[in-house]
Coordinates of all heavy atoms in Angstrom, one line a residue:
Q1 N -30.3 93.7 -11.5 CA -31.0 92.6 -12.1 C -32.5 93.1 -12.5 O -33.1 93.8 -11.8 CB -31.2 91.4 -11.1 CG -31.8 90.3 -11.6 CD -31.8 89.1 -10.5 OE1 -31.8 89.4 -9.3 NE2 -31.9 87.9 -11.0
K2 N -32.9 92.7 -13.7 CA -34.1 93.2 -14.2 C -35.3 92.4 -13.5 O -35.2 91.2 -13.4 CB -34.2 92.9 -15.7 CG -35.4 93.4 -16.4 CD -35.4 93.1 -17.9 CE -36.7 93.6 -18.5 NZ -36.7 93.4 -19.9
V3 N -36.4 93.2 -13.2 CA -37.5 92.6 -12.5 C -38.6 92.5 -13.6 O -38.9 93.5 -14.3 CB -38.0 93.5 -11.4 CG1 -39.3 92.9 -10.9 CG2 -37.0 93.6 -10.3
E4 N -39.1 91.3 -13.8 CA -40.1 91.1 -14.8 C -41.5 91.1 -14.1 O -41.7 90.4 -13.2 CB -39.9 89.8 -15.6 CG -38.6 89.9 -16.4 CD -38.5 88.7 -17.4 OE1 -39.6 88.2 -17.8 OE2 -37.4 88.3 -17.8
T5 N -42.4 91.9 -14.7 CA -43.8 91.9 -14.2 C -44.7 91.3 -15.3 O -44.4 91.4 -16.5 CB -44.2 93.3 -14.0 OG1 -44.1 94.1 -15.2 CG2 -43.5 94.0 -12.9
P6 N -45.6 90.5 -14.8 CA -46.5 89.9 -15.8 C -47.3 90.8 -16.6 O -47.6 91.9 -16.2 CB -47.4 89.0 -14.9 CG -47.4 89.6 -13.5 CD -46.0 90.3 -13.4
A7 N -47.6 90.5 -17.9 CA -48.4 91.3 -18.7 C -49.8 91.5 -18.2 O -50.3 90.5 -17.7 CB -48.4 90.7 -20.2
T8 N -50.4 92.6 -18.3 CA -51.7 92.8 -17.8 C -52.5 93.4 -19.0 O -52.0 94.0 -19.9 CB -51.8 93.8 -16.6 OG1 -51.2 95.0 -17.0 CG2 -51.0 93.2 -15.4
D9 N -53.8 93.3 -18.9 CA -54.7 93.8 -19.9 C -55.9 94.5 -19.2 O -56.8 93.7 -18.6 CB -55.2 92.7 -20.8 CG -56.1 93.1 -21.9 OD1 -56.8 94.2 -21.8 OD2 -56.2 92.4 -22.9
A10 N -56.0 95.8 -19.2 CA -57.0 96.5 -18.5 C -58.4 96.2 -18.9 O -59.3 96.1 -18.2 CB -56.7 98.0 -18.5
R11 N -58.5 96.1 -20.2 CA -59.9 95.8 -20.8 C -60.3 94.4 -20.4 O -61.5 94.2 -20.0 CB -59.9 95.9 -22.3 CG -59.9 97.4 -22.7 CD -60.1 97.5 -24.2 NE -58.7 97.3 -24.7 CZ -58.4 97.2 -26.0 NH1 -59.3 97.2 -26.9 NH2 -57.2 97.1 -26.4
L12 N -59.4 93.4 -20.4 CA -59.8 92.1 -20.0 C -60.1 92.1 -18.5 O -61.1 91.4 -18.1 CB -58.6 91.1 -20.3 CG -58.9 89.7 -19.9 CD1 -60.1 89.1 -20.6 CD2 -57.7 88.8 -20.2
A13 N -59.4 92.9 -17.7 CA -59.6 92.9 -16.3 C -61.0 93.5 -16.0 O -61.8 93.0 -15.2 CB -58.6 93.8 -15.6
A14 N -61.4 94.5 -16.7 CA -62.7 95.2 -16.5 C -63.8 94.2 -16.9 O -64.8 94.1 -16.2 CB -62.8 96.5 -17.4
R15 N -63.7 93.5 -18.0 CA -64.7 92.6 -18.5 C -64.8 91.4 -17.4 O -65.9 91.0 -17.1 CB -64.4 92.0 -19.9 CG -64.8 92.9 -21.0 CD -64.6 92.3 -22.3 NE -63.6 93.0 -23.0 CZ -62.5 92.5 -23.5 NH1 -62.3 91.2 -23.5 NH2 -61.6 93.3 -24.1
A16 N -63.7 90.9 -17.0 CA -63.7 89.8 -16.0 C -64.3 90.2 -14.7 O -65.0 89.5 -14.0 CB -62.3 89.3 -15.8
L17 N -64.0 91.5 -14.3 CA -64.5 92.0 -13.0 C -66.0 92.1 -13.1 O -66.8 91.7 -12.2 CB -63.9 93.4 -12.7 CG -64.5 94.1 -11.4 CD1 -64.2 93.2 -10.2 CD2 -63.9 95.5 -11.3
D18 N -66.6 92.7 -14.3 CA -68.0 92.8 -14.4 C -68.7 91.4 -14.5 O -69.7 91.2 -13.8 CB -68.3 93.5 -15.8 CG -69.7 93.8 -16.0 OD1 -70.4 94.3 -15.1 OD2 -70.2 93.4 -17.1
A19 N -68.1 90.4 -15.2 CA -68.6 89.1 -15.2 C -68.6 88.4 -13.8 O -69.5 87.8 -13.4 CB -67.9 88.3 -16.2
G20 N -67.5 88.7 -13.1 CA -67.4 88.1 -11.7 C -68.3 88.6 -10.8 O -69.0 87.9 -10.0
V21 N -68.5 89.9 -10.8 CA -69.5 90.6 -9.9 C -70.9 90.1 -10.2 O -71.8 89.9 -9.3 CB -69.4 92.1 -9.9 CG1 -70.5 92.8 -9.1 CG2 -68.0 92.5 -9.3
T22 N -71.2 90.1 -11.5 CA -72.5 89.6 -11.9 C -72.8 88.1 -11.5 O -73.9 87.8 -10.9 CB -72.7 89.7 -13.4 OG1 -72.5 91.0 -13.9 CG2 -74.0 89.2 -13.9
A23 N -71.8 87.3 -11.6 CA -71.9 85.9 -11.2 C -72.1 85.8 -9.7 O -72.9 85.1 -9.1 CB -70.7 85.1 -11.6
Y24 N -71.3 86.6 -8.9 CA -71.4 86.7 -7.5 C -72.8 87.1 -7.0 O -73.4 86.4 -6.2 CB -70.4 87.7 -6.9 CG -70.6 87.8 -5.4 CD1 -70.1 86.8 -4.5 CD2 -71.2 88.9 -4.9 CE1 -70.3 87.0 -3.1 CE2 -71.4 89.1 -3.5 CZ -71.0 88.1 -2.7 OH -71.1 88.3 -1.3
R25 N -73.4 88.1 -7.6 CA -74.7 88.6 -7.2 C -75.8 87.6 -7.6 O -76.8 87.6 -7.0 CB -74.9 90.0 -7.9 CG -74.1 91.0 -7.3 CD -74.4 92.4 -7.9 NE -73.6 93.4 -7.2 CZ -73.4 94.6 -7.7 NH1 -73.9 94.9 -8.9 NH2 -72.7 95.5 -7.1
A26 N -75.5 86.7 -8.6 CA -76.4 85.7 -9.0 C -76.3 84.4 -8.2 O -77.0 83.4 -8.4 CB -76.3 85.4 -10.5
G27 N -75.3 84.4 -7.3 CA -75.1 83.2 -6.5 C -74.3 82.1 -7.1 O -74.2 81.0 -6.7
R28 N -73.7 82.5 -8.3 CA -72.8 81.5 -9.0 C -71.4 81.7 -8.6 O -70.6 82.3 -9.3 CB -73.0 81.7 -10.6 CG -74.4 81.4 -11.0 CD -74.6 81.5 -12.5 NE -73.6 82.3 -13.2 CZ -73.8 83.5 -13.6 NH1 -74.9 84.2 -13.4 NH2 -72.9 84.1 -14.3
Y29 N -71.0 81.2 -7.4 CA -69.7 81.5 -6.8 C -68.5 80.9 -7.5 O -67.5 81.5 -7.5 CB -69.8 81.1 -5.3 CG -70.9 81.8 -4.6 CD1 -71.9 81.1 -3.9 CD2 -71.0 83.3 -4.6 CE1 -73.0 81.7 -3.3 CE2 -72.1 83.9 -3.9 CZ -73.0 83.2 -3.3 OH -74.1 83.8 -2.7
D30 N -68.7 79.7 -8.1 CA -67.6 79.1 -8.8 C -67.3 80.0 -10.0 O -66.1 80.2 -10.2 CB -68.0 77.7 -9.2 CG -68.1 76.7 -8.0 OD1 -67.5 77.0 -7.0 OD2 -68.8 75.7 -8.2
D31 N -68.3 80.4 -10.8 CA -68.0 81.2 -11.9 C -67.5 82.6 -11.5 O -66.6 83.1 -12.1 CB -69.4 81.6 -12.6 CG -70.0 80.3 -13.3 OD1 -69.2 79.3 -13.6 OD2 -71.2 80.3 -13.6
A32 N -67.9 83.1 -10.3 CA -67.4 84.4 -9.9 C -65.9 84.3 -9.5 O -65.2 85.1 -10.0 CB -68.2 84.8 -8.6
V33 N -65.5 83.2 -8.8 CA -64.1 83.1 -8.5 C -63.3 83.0 -9.7 O -62.2 83.5 -9.8 CB -63.9 81.8 -7.5 CG1 -62.4 81.5 -7.4 CG2 -64.6 82.1 -6.2
R34 N -63.7 82.2 -10.7 CA -62.9 82.1 -11.9 C -62.8 83.4 -12.6 O -61.7 83.8 -13.0 CB -63.6 81.0 -12.9 CG -62.8 80.7 -14.1 CD -63.5 79.8 -15.0 NE -64.8 80.4 -15.6 CZ -66.0 80.0 -15.3 NH1 -66.2 79.1 -14.4 NH2 -67.0 80.7 -15.9
E35 N -63.8 84.1 -12.8 CA -63.8 85.4 -13.5 C -63.0 86.5 -12.7 O -62.2 87.2 -13.2 CB -65.2 86.0 -13.8 CG -65.9 85.2 -14.7 CD -65.4 85.2 -16.2 OE1 -64.6 86.2 -16.5 OE2 -65.8 84.4 -17.0
L36 N -63.2 86.5 -11.3 CA -62.4 87.4 -10.5 C -61.0 87.1 -10.4 O -60.2 88.1 -10.2 CB -63.1 87.5 -9.1 CG -64.5 88.1 -9.2 CD1 -65.3 87.8 -8.0 CD2 -64.5 89.6 -9.5
A37 N -60.6 85.9 -10.5 CA -59.2 85.5 -10.5 C -58.5 86.1 -11.7 O -57.4 86.6 -11.7 CB -59.0 84.0 -10.4
E38 N -59.3 86.0 -12.9 CA -58.7 86.6 -14.1 C -58.6 88.1 -14.0 O -57.7 88.7 -14.5 CB -59.7 86.2 -15.3 CG -59.2 86.6 -16.6 CD -57.9 85.9 -17.1 OE1 -57.7 84.8 -16.6 OE2 -57.2 86.4 -17.9
A39 N -59.6 88.7 -13.4 CA -59.6 90.2 -13.2 C -58.4 90.6 -12.3 O -57.7 91.5 -12.6 CB -60.9 90.7 -12.5
A40 N -58.1 89.9 -11.2 CA -57.0 90.1 -10.3 C -55.7 89.9 -11.0 O -54.7 90.6 -10.8 CB -57.2 89.3 -9.1
K41 N -55.6 88.9 -11.8 CA -54.4 88.6 -12.6 C -54.0 89.8 -13.6 O -52.9 90.2 -13.7 CB -54.5 87.3 -13.4 CG -53.3 87.0 -14.2 CD -53.5 85.7 -14.9 CE -53.9 86.0 -16.3 NZ -54.0 84.8 -17.2
N42 N -55.1 90.4 -14.1 CA -54.8 91.5 -15.1 C -54.9 92.9 -14.5 O -54.5 93.8 -15.1 CB -55.9 91.4 -16.3 CG -55.5 90.3 -17.2 OD1 -54.6 90.5 -18.0 ND2 -56.1 89.1 -17.1
A43 N -55.4 93.0 -13.2 CA -55.3 94.3 -12.5 C -55.1 94.0 -11.0 O -55.9 94.1 -10.2 CB -56.6 95.0 -12.7
P44 N -53.8 93.5 -10.7 CA -53.5 93.0 -9.4 C -53.8 94.1 -8.3 O -53.9 93.7 -7.1 CB -52.1 92.6 -9.4 CG -51.5 93.1 -10.7 CD -52.7 93.5 -11.6
S45 N -53.8 95.4 -8.6 CA -54.0 96.4 -7.6 C -55.5 96.8 -7.4 O -55.8 97.8 -6.7 CB -53.1 97.6 -7.8 OG -53.4 98.2 -9.1
D46 N -56.4 96.2 -8.1 CA -57.8 96.5 -8.1 C -58.4 95.9 -6.9 O -58.6 94.7 -6.8 CB -58.5 96.1 -9.3 CG -60.0 96.6 -9.4 OD1 -60.5 97.0 -8.3 OD2 -60.6 96.4 -10.5
P47 N -58.8 96.7 -5.8 CA -59.3 96.2 -4.6 C -60.7 95.5 -4.8 O -61.0 94.6 -4.1 CB -59.5 97.3 -3.7 CG -59.5 98.5 -4.6 CD -58.7 98.2 -5.8
L48 N -61.5 95.9 -5.8 CA -62.8 95.3 -6.0 C -62.6 93.9 -6.4 O -63.5 93.0 -6.0 CB -63.6 96.1 -7.0 CG -64.2 97.4 -6.5 CD1 -64.9 98.1 -7.7 CD2 -65.2 97.1 -5.4
A49 N -61.7 93.5 -7.3 CA -61.5 92.2 -7.7 C -61.2 91.3 -6.6 O -61.8 90.2 -6.4 CB -60.4 92.1 -8.8
W50 N -60.3 91.7 -5.7 CA -59.9 90.9 -4.5 C -61.1 90.8 -3.5 O -61.3 89.8 -2.9 CB -58.7 91.5 -3.8 CG -57.5 91.4 -4.7 CD1 -56.9 92.4 -5.5 CD2 -56.7 90.2 -5.0 NE1 -55.8 91.9 -6.2 CE2 -55.7 90.6 -5.9 CE3 -56.9 89.0 -4.6 CZ2 -54.8 89.6 -6.4 CZ3 -55.9 88.0 -5.0 CH2 -54.9 88.3 -5.9
Y51 N -61.8 91.9 -3.3 CA -62.9 91.9 -2.4 C -63.9 90.9 -2.8 O -64.4 90.0 -2.0 CB -63.5 93.3 -2.2 CG -64.8 93.2 -1.4 CD1 -64.8 93.1 0.0 CD2 -66.0 93.1 -2.0 CE1 -65.9 93.0 0.7 CE2 -67.2 93.1 -1.3 CZ -67.1 93.0 0.1 OH -68.3 92.8 0.8
Y52 N -64.4 91.0 -4.0 CA -65.4 90.1 -4.5 C -65.0 88.6 -4.6 O -65.8 87.7 -4.3 CB -66.1 90.6 -5.8 CG -67.1 91.6 -5.7 CD1 -66.9 92.9 -5.9 CD2 -68.4 91.3 -5.2 CE1 -67.8 93.9 -5.7 CE2 -69.4 92.2 -5.0 CZ -69.1 93.5 -5.2 OH -70.1 94.5 -5.1
M53 N -63.7 88.4 -4.9 CA -63.2 87.1 -5.0 C -63.2 86.5 -3.5 O -63.6 85.4 -3.3 CB -61.8 87.0 -5.6 CG -61.3 85.6 -5.8 SD -59.9 85.4 -6.9 CE -58.8 86.6 -6.4
G54 N -62.8 87.3 -2.6 CA -62.8 86.9 -1.2 C -64.3 86.6 -0.7 O -64.5 85.5 -0.1
A55 N -65.2 87.4 -1.2 CA -66.6 87.2 -0.8 C -67.2 85.9 -1.4 O -67.9 85.2 -0.8 CB -67.4 88.4 -1.2
A56 N -66.8 85.7 -2.7 CA -67.3 84.5 -3.3 C -66.7 83.2 -2.6 O -67.4 82.2 -2.4 CB -66.9 84.5 -4.8
K57 N -65.4 83.3 -2.3 CA -64.8 82.1 -1.6 C -65.4 81.9 -0.2 O -65.6 80.9 0.2 CB -63.3 82.3 -1.5 CG -62.6 82.2 -2.8 CD -61.1 82.4 -2.7 CE -60.4 82.3 -4.0 NZ -59.0 82.5 -4.0
W58 N -65.7 83.0 0.5 CA -66.3 83.0 1.8 C -67.7 82.3 1.6 O -68.1 81.4 2.4 CB -66.5 84.4 2.3 CG -67.0 84.4 3.7 CD1 -68.3 84.3 4.2 CD2 -66.2 84.4 4.9 NE1 -68.4 84.4 5.6 CE2 -67.1 84.5 6.0 CE3 -64.8 84.5 5.1 CZ2 -66.6 84.5 7.3 CZ3 -64.4 84.6 6.4 CH2 -65.3 84.6 7.5
A59 N -68.4 82.6 0.6 CA -69.8 82.1 0.3 C -69.7 80.6 0.0 O -70.6 79.8 0.4 CB -70.5 82.8 -0.8
R60 N -68.5 80.1 -0.5 CA -68.3 78.7 -0.8 C -67.8 78.0 0.4 O -67.5 76.8 0.4 CB -67.3 78.5 -1.9 CG -67.8 79.0 -3.2 CD -66.9 78.6 -4.4 NE -65.5 78.6 -4.2 CZ -64.6 78.4 -5.2 NH1 -65.1 78.1 -6.4 NH2 -63.3 78.5 -5.0
G61 N -67.6 78.7 1.5 CA -67.1 78.0 2.8 C -65.6 78.0 2.9 O -65.1 77.3 3.7
E62 N -64.9 78.8 2.0 CA -63.4 78.8 2.1 C -62.9 80.0 2.8 O -62.4 80.9 2.3 CB -62.9 78.8 0.6 CG -63.4 77.6 -0.2 CD -63.1 77.7 -1.6 OE1 -62.2 78.6 -2.1 OE2 -63.7 77.0 -2.4
A63 N -63.1 79.9 4.1 CA -62.8 81.1 5.0 C -61.3 81.5 4.9 O -61.0 82.7 4.9 CB -63.3 80.9 6.4
D64 N -60.5 80.5 5.0 CA -59.0 80.9 5.0 C -58.6 81.5 3.7 O -57.9 82.5 3.7 CB -58.1 79.6 5.3 CG -58.2 79.2 6.7 OD1 -58.6 80.0 7.6 OD2 -58.1 78.0 6.9
A65 N -59.0 81.0 2.6 CA -58.7 81.6 1.3 C -59.3 82.9 1.1 O -58.7 83.8 0.5 CB -59.2 80.6 0.1
A66 N -60.5 83.1 1.6 CA -61.2 84.4 1.6 C -60.4 85.5 2.4 O -60.2 86.6 1.9 CB -62.6 84.3 2.1
R67 N -60.0 85.1 3.5 CA -59.2 86.0 4.4 C -57.9 86.5 3.6 O -57.5 87.7 3.7 CB -58.8 85.4 5.6 CG -59.9 85.3 6.6 CD -59.5 84.8 8.0 NE -60.6 84.5 8.9 CZ -61.2 83.3 9.0 NH1 -60.6 82.3 8.4 NH2 -62.2 83.2 9.8
K68 N -57.3 85.6 2.9 CA -56.1 86.0 2.1 C -56.4 87.0 1.0 O -55.7 87.9 0.8 CB -55.4 84.7 1.5 CG -54.7 83.9 2.5 CD -54.2 82.6 1.9 CE -53.6 81.7 3.0 NZ -53.1 80.4 2.4
D69 N -57.6 86.8 0.4 CA -58.0 87.7 -0.7 C -58.4 89.1 -0.1 O -58.1 90.1 -0.6 CB -59.2 87.1 -1.5 CG -58.8 86.0 -2.3 OD1 -57.6 85.8 -2.6 OD2 -59.7 85.1 -2.6
F70 N -59.0 89.0 1.1 CA -59.3 90.3 1.7 C -58.1 91.1 2.2 O -58.1 92.3 2.2 CB -60.3 90.0 2.9 CG -61.7 89.6 2.6 CD1 -62.3 88.7 3.4 CD2 -62.3 90.1 1.5 CE1 -63.6 88.2 3.1 CE2 -63.6 89.6 1.2 CZ -64.2 88.7 2.0
A71 N -57.1 90.4 2.5 CA -55.9 91.0 2.9 C -55.2 91.7 1.8 O -54.5 92.7 1.9 CB -54.9 90.0 3.6

């Protein structure tokens, strides 16, 4: 049986990661989560996207969701 993997875009992932980290550092956690989710979708094995997304969710008070991203 054929396994289908979602299409990814490395350039989009890099741009979203940069925008997400910038938003995180500026304290714009909602923007950070949105951008970092896009980065993780396009580069699911990138640990930085998951780390910063977890950190942004943690800052928003979403400890359980943050732990899942950290894992």
